[in-house]
Short mmCIF file of all heavy atoms in Angstrom, two decimals:
data_model
loop_
_atom_site.label_atom_id
_atom_site.label_comp_id
_atom_site.label_asym_id
_atom_site.label_seq_id
_atom_site.Cartn_x
_atom_site.Cartn_y
_atom_site.Cartn_z
N GLY A 1 0.81 4.75 3.09
CA GLY A 1 0.82 3.31 2.87
C GLY A 1 -0.52 2.65 3.15
O GLY A 1 -1.41 3.25 3.77
N TRP A 2 -0.61 1.46 2.63
CA TRP A 2 -1.76 0.58 2.90
C TRP A 2 -1.24 -0.69 3.56
O TRP A 2 -0.23 -1.27 3.11
CB TRP A 2 -2.50 0.23 1.62
CG TRP A 2 -3.27 1.36 1.03
CD1 TRP A 2 -2.86 2.21 0.05
CD2 TRP A 2 -4.59 1.77 1.39
NE1 TRP A 2 -3.84 3.13 -0.21
CE2 TRP A 2 -4.93 2.87 0.59
CE3 TRP A 2 -5.54 1.31 2.31
CZ2 TRP A 2 -6.16 3.53 0.67
CZ3 TRP A 2 -6.76 1.95 2.39
CH2 TRP A 2 -7.06 3.04 1.59
N TYR A 3 -1.92 -1.10 4.60
CA TYR A 3 -1.62 -2.33 5.30
C TYR A 3 -2.93 -3.13 5.40
O TYR A 3 -4.01 -2.57 5.21
CB TYR A 3 -1.07 -2.04 6.70
CG TYR A 3 0.28 -1.37 6.70
CD1 TYR A 3 0.43 -0.04 6.32
CD2 TYR A 3 1.43 -2.08 7.06
CE1 TYR A 3 1.67 0.57 6.30
CE2 TYR A 3 2.67 -1.48 7.06
CZ TYR A 3 2.78 -0.15 6.67
OH TYR A 3 4.02 0.44 6.67
N ARG A 4 -2.81 -4.40 5.71
CA ARG A 4 -4.02 -5.19 5.86
C ARG A 4 -3.85 -6.21 6.98
O ARG A 4 -2.73 -6.62 7.30
CB ARG A 4 -4.39 -5.89 4.56
CG ARG A 4 -3.42 -6.97 4.12
CD ARG A 4 -3.80 -7.49 2.74
NE ARG A 4 -2.91 -8.56 2.28
CZ ARG A 4 -2.94 -9.08 1.07
NH1 ARG A 4 -3.82 -8.63 0.16
NH2 ARG A 4 -2.09 -10.05 0.74
N GLN A 5 -4.98 -6.61 7.52
CA GLN A 5 -4.98 -7.61 8.57
C GLN A 5 -6.12 -8.59 8.32
O GLN A 5 -7.30 -8.20 8.36
CB GLN A 5 -5.12 -6.97 9.95
CG GLN A 5 -4.95 -7.96 11.09
CD GLN A 5 -4.77 -7.28 12.44
OE1 GLN A 5 -5.06 -6.10 12.60
NE2 GLN A 5 -4.27 -8.01 13.41
N ALA A 6 -5.75 -9.82 8.06
CA ALA A 6 -6.74 -10.87 7.86
C ALA A 6 -7.09 -11.49 9.20
O ALA A 6 -6.31 -11.40 10.16
CB ALA A 6 -6.18 -11.93 6.91
N PRO A 7 -8.25 -12.13 9.30
CA PRO A 7 -8.65 -12.76 10.56
C PRO A 7 -7.59 -13.73 11.07
O PRO A 7 -7.12 -14.59 10.32
CB PRO A 7 -9.94 -13.48 10.20
CG PRO A 7 -10.49 -12.72 9.05
CD PRO A 7 -9.28 -12.27 8.27
N GLY A 8 -7.20 -13.55 12.32
CA GLY A 8 -6.24 -14.46 12.94
C GLY A 8 -4.80 -14.24 12.52
O GLY A 8 -3.92 -15.02 12.90
N LYS A 9 -4.55 -13.19 11.77
CA LYS A 9 -3.19 -12.91 11.31
C LYS A 9 -2.74 -11.54 11.76
O LYS A 9 -3.55 -10.70 12.15
CB LYS A 9 -3.11 -13.03 9.80
CG LYS A 9 -3.37 -14.43 9.27
CD LYS A 9 -3.09 -14.51 7.78
CE LYS A 9 -3.26 -15.93 7.27
NZ LYS A 9 -2.97 -16.03 5.80
N GLU A 10 -1.44 -11.31 11.67
CA GLU A 10 -0.88 -10.01 12.03
C GLU A 10 -1.08 -9.02 10.87
O GLU A 10 -1.22 -9.42 9.70
CB GLU A 10 0.60 -10.14 12.36
CG GLU A 10 0.88 -10.96 13.60
CD GLU A 10 2.34 -10.93 13.99
OE1 GLU A 10 3.16 -10.41 13.21
OE2 GLU A 10 2.67 -11.45 15.07
N ARG A 11 -1.07 -7.75 11.21
CA ARG A 11 -1.14 -6.73 10.19
C ARG A 11 0.12 -6.78 9.33
O ARG A 11 1.23 -6.93 9.84
CB ARG A 11 -1.28 -5.35 10.83
CG ARG A 11 -1.62 -4.24 9.86
CD ARG A 11 -1.88 -2.93 10.59
NE ARG A 11 -3.04 -3.03 11.47
CZ ARG A 11 -3.59 -1.97 12.10
NH1 ARG A 11 -3.07 -0.77 11.92
NH2 ARG A 11 -4.62 -2.14 12.89
N GLU A 12 -0.06 -6.64 8.02
CA GLU A 12 1.07 -6.71 7.10
C GLU A 12 1.04 -5.57 6.11
O GLU A 12 -0.02 -5.03 5.77
CB GLU A 12 1.06 -8.05 6.34
CG GLU A 12 -0.14 -8.25 5.44
CD GLU A 12 -0.07 -9.54 4.64
OE1 GLU A 12 0.86 -10.33 4.82
OE2 GLU A 12 -1.00 -9.76 3.82
N LEU A 13 2.22 -5.24 5.61
CA LEU A 13 2.33 -4.19 4.62
C LEU A 13 1.76 -4.66 3.29
O LEU A 13 1.99 -5.80 2.88
CB LEU A 13 3.80 -3.80 4.44
CG LEU A 13 4.12 -2.74 3.39
CD1 LEU A 13 5.29 -1.89 3.86
CD2 LEU A 13 4.44 -3.34 2.04
N VAL A 14 1.01 -3.77 2.64
CA VAL A 14 0.54 -4.04 1.28
C VAL A 14 1.34 -3.21 0.29
O VAL A 14 1.93 -3.74 -0.65
CB VAL A 14 -0.96 -3.71 1.15
CG1 VAL A 14 -1.42 -3.88 -0.30
CG2 VAL A 14 -1.78 -4.58 2.09
N ALA A 15 1.37 -1.90 0.52
CA ALA A 15 2.08 -1.01 -0.40
C ALA A 15 2.33 0.33 0.28
O ALA A 15 1.53 0.76 1.11
CB ALA A 15 1.28 -0.79 -1.68
N THR A 16 3.45 0.95 -0.09
CA THR A 16 3.74 2.30 0.37
C THR A 16 4.21 3.16 -0.78
O THR A 16 4.71 2.63 -1.80
CB THR A 16 4.82 2.33 1.47
OG1 THR A 16 6.04 1.80 0.94
CG2 THR A 16 4.40 1.54 2.70
N LYS A 17 4.04 4.47 -0.62
CA LYS A 17 4.54 5.41 -1.62
C LYS A 17 5.07 6.63 -0.89
O LYS A 17 4.34 7.27 -0.13
CB LYS A 17 3.46 5.80 -2.62
CG LYS A 17 4.00 6.63 -3.78
CD LYS A 17 3.04 6.64 -4.95
CE LYS A 17 3.67 7.27 -6.18
NZ LYS A 17 2.85 7.13 -7.39
N THR A 18 6.34 6.95 -1.14
CA THR A 18 6.95 8.09 -0.48
C THR A 18 6.52 9.39 -1.14
O THR A 18 5.92 9.40 -2.23
CB THR A 18 8.48 8.00 -0.53
OG1 THR A 18 8.90 8.17 -1.88
CG2 THR A 18 8.97 6.66 -0.01
N SER A 19 6.87 10.50 -0.51
CA SER A 19 6.56 11.80 -1.09
C SER A 19 7.33 12.01 -2.39
O SER A 19 6.88 12.77 -3.25
CB SER A 19 6.88 12.91 -0.10
OG SER A 19 8.24 12.86 0.28
N GLY A 20 8.43 11.32 -2.55
CA GLY A 20 9.21 11.43 -3.78
C GLY A 20 8.74 10.50 -4.87
O GLY A 20 9.26 10.53 -5.99
N GLY A 21 7.77 9.62 -4.54
CA GLY A 21 7.20 8.75 -5.56
C GLY A 21 7.70 7.32 -5.55
O GLY A 21 7.26 6.50 -6.37
N THR A 22 8.61 7.00 -4.65
CA THR A 22 9.11 5.62 -4.59
C THR A 22 8.04 4.71 -4.00
O THR A 22 7.45 5.01 -2.97
CB THR A 22 10.37 5.54 -3.72
OG1 THR A 22 11.37 6.38 -4.29
CG2 THR A 22 10.89 4.11 -3.66
N THR A 23 7.80 3.59 -4.68
CA THR A 23 6.79 2.64 -4.23
C THR A 23 7.43 1.34 -3.75
O THR A 23 8.53 0.98 -4.15
CB THR A 23 5.79 2.32 -5.34
OG1 THR A 23 6.51 1.81 -6.48
CG2 THR A 23 5.01 3.54 -5.75
N ASN A 24 6.69 0.68 -2.88
CA ASN A 24 7.12 -0.62 -2.35
C ASN A 24 5.86 -1.47 -2.20
O ASN A 24 4.86 -1.00 -1.68
CB ASN A 24 7.80 -0.44 -1.00
CG ASN A 24 8.28 -1.75 -0.41
OD1 ASN A 24 8.83 -2.58 -1.14
ND2 ASN A 24 8.08 -1.97 0.87
N TYR A 25 5.94 -2.70 -2.70
CA TYR A 25 4.79 -3.59 -2.65
C TYR A 25 5.16 -4.91 -1.99
O TYR A 25 6.28 -5.41 -2.14
CB TYR A 25 4.27 -3.90 -4.06
CG TYR A 25 3.68 -2.73 -4.79
CD1 TYR A 25 4.45 -1.96 -5.65
CD2 TYR A 25 2.34 -2.40 -4.62
CE1 TYR A 25 3.90 -0.87 -6.32
CE2 TYR A 25 1.78 -1.33 -5.29
CZ TYR A 25 2.56 -0.57 -6.14
OH TYR A 25 2.01 0.50 -6.80
N ALA A 26 4.19 -5.49 -1.32
CA ALA A 26 4.36 -6.85 -0.85
C ALA A 26 4.42 -7.78 -2.06
O ALA A 26 3.76 -7.54 -3.08
CB ALA A 26 3.18 -7.25 0.04
N ASP A 27 5.21 -8.83 -1.95
CA ASP A 27 5.34 -9.77 -3.06
C ASP A 27 3.98 -10.33 -3.48
O ASP A 27 3.74 -10.57 -4.68
CB ASP A 27 6.26 -10.93 -2.67
CG ASP A 27 7.71 -10.51 -2.55
OD1 ASP A 27 8.07 -9.42 -3.07
OD2 ASP A 27 8.50 -11.26 -1.95
N SER A 28 3.10 -10.52 -2.52
CA SER A 28 1.81 -11.16 -2.78
C SER A 28 0.88 -10.29 -3.63
O SER A 28 -0.09 -10.82 -4.20
CB SER A 28 1.12 -11.52 -1.47
OG SER A 28 0.93 -10.37 -0.67
N VAL A 29 1.15 -8.99 -3.71
CA VAL A 29 0.25 -8.10 -4.47
C VAL A 29 0.96 -7.46 -5.66
O VAL A 29 0.31 -6.78 -6.46
CB VAL A 29 -0.35 -7.00 -3.57
CG1 VAL A 29 -1.01 -7.61 -2.35
CG2 VAL A 29 0.69 -5.97 -3.17
N GLN A 30 2.26 -7.67 -5.77
CA GLN A 30 3.02 -7.08 -6.87
C GLN A 30 2.40 -7.45 -8.21
O GLN A 30 2.10 -8.62 -8.47
CB GLN A 30 4.47 -7.59 -6.80
CG GLN A 30 5.39 -7.01 -7.86
CD GLN A 30 5.82 -5.60 -7.54
OE1 GLN A 30 6.19 -5.30 -6.41
NE2 GLN A 30 5.78 -4.73 -8.52
N GLY A 31 2.17 -6.44 -9.03
CA GLY A 31 1.60 -6.68 -10.34
C GLY A 31 0.08 -6.68 -10.38
O GLY A 31 -0.51 -6.65 -11.46
N ARG A 32 -0.54 -6.73 -9.23
CA ARG A 32 -2.01 -6.71 -9.16
C ARG A 32 -2.55 -5.42 -8.53
O ARG A 32 -3.62 -4.94 -8.91
CB ARG A 32 -2.52 -7.90 -8.35
CG ARG A 32 -2.16 -9.26 -8.93
CD ARG A 32 -2.86 -10.38 -8.16
NE ARG A 32 -2.46 -10.46 -6.77
CZ ARG A 32 -3.31 -10.38 -5.74
NH1 ARG A 32 -4.61 -10.23 -5.96
NH2 ARG A 32 -2.86 -10.47 -4.50
N PHE A 33 -1.82 -4.89 -7.57
CA PHE A 33 -2.24 -3.69 -6.85
C PHE A 33 -1.37 -2.51 -7.25
O PHE A 33 -0.17 -2.67 -7.51
CB PHE A 33 -2.12 -3.89 -5.34
CG PHE A 33 -3.09 -4.88 -4.73
CD1 PHE A 33 -3.88 -5.71 -5.51
CD2 PHE A 33 -3.19 -4.97 -3.34
CE1 PHE A 33 -4.76 -6.61 -4.93
CE2 PHE A 33 -4.07 -5.87 -2.75
CZ PHE A 33 -4.85 -6.70 -3.55
N THR A 34 -1.98 -1.32 -7.23
CA THR A 34 -1.24 -0.10 -7.52
C THR A 34 -1.60 0.97 -6.51
O THR A 34 -2.79 1.27 -6.33
CB THR A 34 -1.55 0.41 -8.93
OG1 THR A 34 -1.24 -0.60 -9.89
CG2 THR A 34 -0.73 1.66 -9.23
N ILE A 35 -0.59 1.53 -5.87
CA ILE A 35 -0.80 2.63 -4.94
C ILE A 35 -0.54 3.95 -5.67
O ILE A 35 0.39 4.05 -6.47
CB ILE A 35 0.10 2.51 -3.68
CG1 ILE A 35 -0.26 3.58 -2.65
CG2 ILE A 35 1.58 2.54 -4.04
CD1 ILE A 35 0.43 3.38 -1.31
N SER A 36 -1.38 4.92 -5.40
CA SER A 36 -1.18 6.24 -5.99
C SER A 36 -1.60 7.29 -4.97
O SER A 36 -2.27 6.98 -3.99
CB SER A 36 -1.97 6.40 -7.29
OG SER A 36 -3.36 6.26 -7.06
N ARG A 37 -1.17 8.52 -5.22
CA ARG A 37 -1.52 9.58 -4.29
C ARG A 37 -1.79 10.86 -5.05
O ARG A 37 -1.19 11.12 -6.09
CB ARG A 37 -0.40 9.79 -3.26
CG ARG A 37 0.96 10.08 -3.84
CD ARG A 37 2.06 9.96 -2.79
NE ARG A 37 1.99 11.04 -1.81
CZ ARG A 37 2.66 11.03 -0.66
NH1 ARG A 37 3.41 10.01 -0.34
NH2 ARG A 37 2.54 12.05 0.17
N ASP A 38 -2.70 11.65 -4.50
CA ASP A 38 -3.02 12.97 -5.04
C ASP A 38 -2.78 13.95 -3.92
O ASP A 38 -3.63 14.13 -3.05
CB ASP A 38 -4.47 13.00 -5.52
CG ASP A 38 -4.82 14.29 -6.22
OD1 ASP A 38 -4.13 15.30 -5.97
OD2 ASP A 38 -5.78 14.31 -7.00
N ASN A 39 -1.60 14.58 -3.93
CA ASN A 39 -1.25 15.47 -2.83
C ASN A 39 -2.17 16.69 -2.77
O ASN A 39 -2.41 17.24 -1.70
CB ASN A 39 0.20 15.92 -2.96
CG ASN A 39 1.18 14.79 -2.69
OD1 ASN A 39 0.83 13.79 -2.07
ND2 ASN A 39 2.40 14.94 -3.18
N ALA A 40 -2.69 17.11 -3.91
CA ALA A 40 -3.58 18.27 -3.93
C ALA A 40 -4.89 17.97 -3.20
O ALA A 40 -5.52 18.89 -2.65
CB ALA A 40 -3.87 18.69 -5.36
N LYS A 41 -5.27 16.69 -3.20
CA LYS A 41 -6.51 16.29 -2.52
C LYS A 41 -6.24 15.62 -1.18
O LYS A 41 -7.18 15.18 -0.51
CB LYS A 41 -7.31 15.34 -3.41
CG LYS A 41 -7.82 15.98 -4.69
CD LYS A 41 -8.64 14.99 -5.51
CE LYS A 41 -9.19 15.65 -6.77
NZ LYS A 41 -9.99 14.70 -7.58
N ASP A 42 -4.96 15.50 -0.82
CA ASP A 42 -4.58 14.82 0.43
C ASP A 42 -5.21 13.44 0.50
O ASP A 42 -5.75 13.02 1.54
CB ASP A 42 -4.97 15.66 1.65
CG ASP A 42 -4.26 17.00 1.68
OD1 ASP A 42 -3.08 17.04 1.31
OD2 ASP A 42 -4.90 18.00 2.04
N THR A 43 -5.10 12.73 -0.59
CA THR A 43 -5.75 11.43 -0.71
C THR A 43 -4.78 10.42 -1.31
O THR A 43 -4.01 10.75 -2.22
CB THR A 43 -7.02 11.52 -1.57
OG1 THR A 43 -7.93 12.45 -0.96
CG2 THR A 43 -7.72 10.18 -1.69
N VAL A 44 -4.86 9.20 -0.82
CA VAL A 44 -4.08 8.10 -1.38
C VAL A 44 -5.05 7.00 -1.78
O VAL A 44 -6.10 6.83 -1.15
CB VAL A 44 -3.03 7.60 -0.37
CG1 VAL A 44 -3.67 7.04 0.89
CG2 VAL A 44 -2.09 6.59 -1.00
#
């Protein structure tokens, strides 16, 4: 997953992706951000 923390604010979820491929996005980034993963490279 990716999370973010703006100055003076709490850390919040941006997006997650399970090993099975299920994704979850914060409403504020839905449609603008895309999470992906390359398990062969151990990279998200």
Side-chain angles (χ1 to χ4, degrees):
W2 289 95
Y3 293 72
R4 67 186 182 187
Q5 187 167 17
K9 295 188 177 181
E10 294 187 352
R11 191 174 297 188
E12 63 177 4
L13 178 146
V14 175
T16 61
K17 188 162 189 172
T18 69
S19 58
T22 300
T23 57
N24 181 42
Y25 293 94
D27 289 344
S28 58
V29 307
Q30 182 77 45
R32 299 188 297 124
F33 292 10
T34 302
I35 186 170
S36 61
R37 56 193 290 166
D38 186 337
N39 290 340
K41 295 182 178 180
D42 298 322
T43 300
V44 63

